[in-house]
Amino acid sequence: MSDFSPTLFVIVGATGDLTRRKLLPSIAHLVSRHGWQDGLHVLGLGRTAQSDGEFRDWARESLEIAGVDSEIISAWCDSSIHYLSTEGGWDAVADKITDIEQANDLPGNRVFYLAIPPGAFPSTIDAIAATGLNEGPGFTRLVVEKPFGHSVESAHELNEHVHAHFDESQTYRIDHYLGKETVQNLLVFRFANALFESSWNRSLVRSVEITVAEDLGLGSRAGYYDTAGALRDMIQNHVTQVLSLVAMEPPVKLEADAIRDEKVKVLRSIQPIRPENVVFGQYESGVVEDEEVAAYRDEKNVADDSTTETAVSLRLHIDNWRWQGVPFYLRTGKRFPERLTQIVVRFNEPPVRLFEVDGACEVHSDAVIITLQPNEGFELLFDVKAPTEEMRLQTVPLDFRYAAAFGKLPGAYETLIEDIVLGDQTLFVRADEVEAAWKLYQPILDNPPAPEAYAAGTWGPASSTKLPHATGDRWIEETR
Ligand code: BG6
C-alpha cells in the first residue's frame, strides 16, 4: 500500500443509485477522515446532460441524506466534484480530465470506477483505452463492480478484455462483502488467536455453516435478478468469498497476493458439488416481519412461470488436509425471516458420553457463531452444569459485540474506496479467483434443479431444512 497521492476518481455511470447511496458518501467520509479536501477530485460521467453545478446540487443532497459533515460538503463539493455527459464522446472526456488535472495541479493519478450495467463494461474499457486514458502520467486503476461475468466462459472473456488494456495490478474487482469489517476480521480471528487457530481443522470441527439471509425480496431489480438468480447473485461471489476466508490456509505474508493465493487454493480444492446436495427455492407469498408480502412470481416484471431461484442451499467438501470429511453448508435466500449473515463452526462432541442421563446424551457440540451482520459479533457456545438437583447440562454463550466494544463500524464501500485510492488489492477479487469461483458452480448453472416453493418468512424449502440431516447436523435456527 502506498501513501496517498492526489487522485481524480472518475465514476462511469455517476447518476445511478450506487453513486448516490454508496460512492459519493464514502468518498466524502474519506475526505473528511483523512483531510483529502484538495487531493481527491470526482468526475461523474453519465448519459444525462447536466452542468457541474447541477451534478453538485444532486451530490450535495446525497451527502446530506448520508449524514456527511456539512462543513465537508461545502468545502469539498464545490471545488472537487465535476461532471460530463458521455454523449459528447470519450475525446471530450479526455479533454475534461486534462482540464481538471491542470486546473487543480493533479499529478495524473486516475481511478475509473465502472458503476454501469455489465453489458457496457467491454465498450467502456475500450473507450478508456482508445483515448489513451489507461496510460496516464500517474497511476491508472480500473474498478469493476459485480457481476463479473455470468458463467465461467464469460468471466474469462471479460478478464481477457480487461487484460488487453489493464494489467492485473491495475484491476480492482469489487465484492463488497470483502469490505465489511467483520469479514476482514475473519483472518485476525483465525490467525491471531491460538485457541481458534489450533482448533480450526478436521480433528476438531464437525461442520461449518454459512448463511446469508435477507428479509427483503426482489425490490425493483427484476430485469437483472430474474436472469441471474441467487446462485449467481450471492453464492458465486459473496458467500464463496466468506467460505474461502473461513477455510484458507494462513498466508505466508500479510500481502494481497499471498492472501489471494491461499483463497484460490481453497476454491481449487473443493470437490465437484453433487447435484443431490443442491437445493433451489423460490418464495411464495407469506409474512416477513409482520408484513404480508407477495410471491416472487407476482413481483413487478417477473414472469408468471419464472423458474429463477431466490434461495440456494448446498453442501460441499474441501479436499485438503485441513478439511477432509468436514461438510460445509452454504445457504442464501431472499424473503427469509430476517437479515442475517452468519458463520457457524461446530466442534466435535467429546469422545466419551460421561454425562449421559437415562440413555439420553445431553452434551451438545460446542460452536463458534460469527455474525457478520447485523449486530456484528461472536458467540462461543459451550455446555455448563445447570444448577438443578439432577445432572443437567445447558448450552450457554460467551458473547462479544462490536457495537459495544467499538461503536459504529465503517461502511464496506468506504474501506474499499480507501484501498483503491491507496493501491491495496487485498480486498479485491483476482482474475484467477473469479474464474475458479465460476468453475465451481458452472455444472449447477448448466443443470439447475427445479426450485422448490417456500413461504416468504421461512428459512427456505423443506429440502433445504433437511439437507444437513444427512450428516447428523441441523441449521442453527433448528437448534436454538
Ligand atoms: C448484492 C446483491 O450484491 O448484495 C443483492 O446483488 C443483495 O441481491 C446484496 O441484496 C446484499 O448485500 P448486503 O451488504 O446488504 O448484505
Side-chain angles (χ1 to χ4, degrees), residues 209-458:
E209 167 186 328
I210 300 173
T211 295
V212 181
E214 295 186 278
D215 52 349
L216 293 178
L218 175 64
S220 54
R221 302 164 70 221
Y224 151 73
Y225 192 88
D226 203 43
T227 56
L231 188 71
R232 286 190 175 91
D233 186 48
M234 299 293 286
I235 298 273
Q236 184 273 342
N237 35 71
H238 307 323
V239 181
T240 302
Q241 286 297 328
V242 173
L243 166 70
S244 33
L245 291 170
V246 168
M248 66 184 259
E249 294 300 315
V252 286
K253 279 190 195 151
L254 209 57
E255 283 178 0
D257 274 327
I259 293 174
R260 298 190 296 178
D261 285 346
E262 296 306 332
K263 287 168 66 196
V264 175
K265 275 192 221 162
V266 173
L267 299 182
R268 292 197 178 134
S269 311
I270 295 174
Q271 292 174 359
I273 302 167
R274 301 166 75 103
E276 64 269 28
N277 291 338
V278 181
V279 179
F280 275 15
Q282 189 188 72
Y283 61 84
E284 293 289 345
S285 58
V287 178
V288 182
E289 295 184 348
D290 298 331
E291 212 181 294
E292 294 214 6
V293 297
Y296 178 73
R297 289 178 180 186
D298 294 331
E299 301 268 19
K300 204 167 154 220
N301 296 330
V302 174
D304 292 349
D305 57 355
S306 169
T307 54
T308 299
E309 79 285 3
T310 60
V312 177
S313 309
L314 59 88
R315 184 175 103 202
L316 57 79
H317 289 267
I318 302 174
D319 225 351
N320 64 14
W321 286 72
R322 183 185 290 271
W323 295 119
Q324 189 61 240
V326 177
F328 280 74
Y329 291 96
L330 313 188
R331 173 172 66 161
T332 189
K334 294 207 183 279
R335 290 294 190 218
F336 275 19
E338 57 184 302
R339 177 171 183 254
L340 181 69
T341 300
Q342 202 167 59
I343 303 161
V344 182
V345 177
R346 280 199 188 77
F347 296 102
N348 288 329
E349 287 175 13
V352 176
R353 304 197 157 196
L354 191 60
F355 300 102
E356 199 163 294
V357 179
D358 298 335
C361 178
E362 289 191 353
V363 176
H364 309 103
S365 306
D366 295 346
V368 176
I369 302 182
I370 306 172
T371 304
L372 302 178
Q373 64 182 24
N375 195 15
E376 292 82 354
F378 294 83
E379 277 171 278
L380 178 60
L381 301 186
F382 59 105
D383 280 354
V384 296
K385 179 188 170 304
T388 50
E389 269 176 33
E390 74 281 18
M391 174 62 88
R392 206 165 61 75
L393 270 59
Q394 189 172 325
T395 304
V396 292
L398 261 180
D399 201 347
F400 160 79
R401 296 290 140 192
Y402 275 86
F406 303 113
K408 199 170 175 291
L409 296 174
Y413 273 90
E414 195 174 322
T415 304
L416 295 173
I417 292 174
E418 182 176 24
D419 285 359
I420 294 163
V421 170
L422 295 177
D424 183 350
Q425 290 189 298
T426 308
L427 302 180
F428 298 86
V429 186
R430 211 169 56 185
D432 53 347
E433 199 179 348
V434 83
E435 288 186 35
W438 278 116
K439 202 168 164 198
L440 187 58
Y441 301 113
Q442 192 61 50
I444 309 174
L445 293 169
D446 291 340
N447 279 305
E452 262 178 61
Y454 63 97
T458 64

Side-chain angles (χ1 to χ4, degrees), residues 117-140:
F121 291 165
S123 59
T124 307
I125 292 167
D126 289 346
I128 294 171
T131 41
L133 285 168
N134 55 336
E135 289 167 355
F139 65 68
T140 308

Side-chain angles (χ1 to χ4, degrees), residues 4-118:
F4 176 71
S5 171
T7 299
L8 178 61
F9 200 96
V10 183
I11 304 175
V12 190
T15 53
D17 208 38
L18 182 70
T19 309
R20 188 177 57 81
R21 284 193 310 114
K22 302 284 185 194
L23 305 185
L24 285 174
S26 305
I27 296 172
H29 281 135
L30 288 171
V31 164
S32 161
R33 187 145 61 86
H34 294 301
W36 289 346
Q37 276 88 334
D38 301 324
L40 195 53
H41 284 249
V42 171
L43 169 62
L45 298 177
R47 289 210 300 246
T48 316
Q50 60 179 324
S51 64
D52 280 348
E54 283 167 311
F55 185 65
R56 278 177 196 156
D57 289 344
W58 180 80
R60 207 175 283 119
E61 212 180 290
S62 317
L63 298 182
E64 277 163 12
I65 293 170
V68 176
D69 181 355
S70 55
E71 274 181 35
I72 292 295
I73 298 181
S74 42
W76 179 66
C77 243
D78 286 343
S79 58
S80 304
I81 295 191
H82 318 266
Y83 183 83
L84 189 72
S85 164
T86 44
E87 296 295 295
W90 276 80
D91 285 335
V93 173
D95 291 344
K96 177 93 176 179
I97 288 178
T98 310
D99 289 350
I100 296 170
E101 287 176 346
Q102 282 175 357
N104 297 285
D105 220 3
L106 300 179
N109 295 325
R110 298 160 189 167
V111 171
F112 290 94
Y113 196 115
L114 307 192
I116 48 178

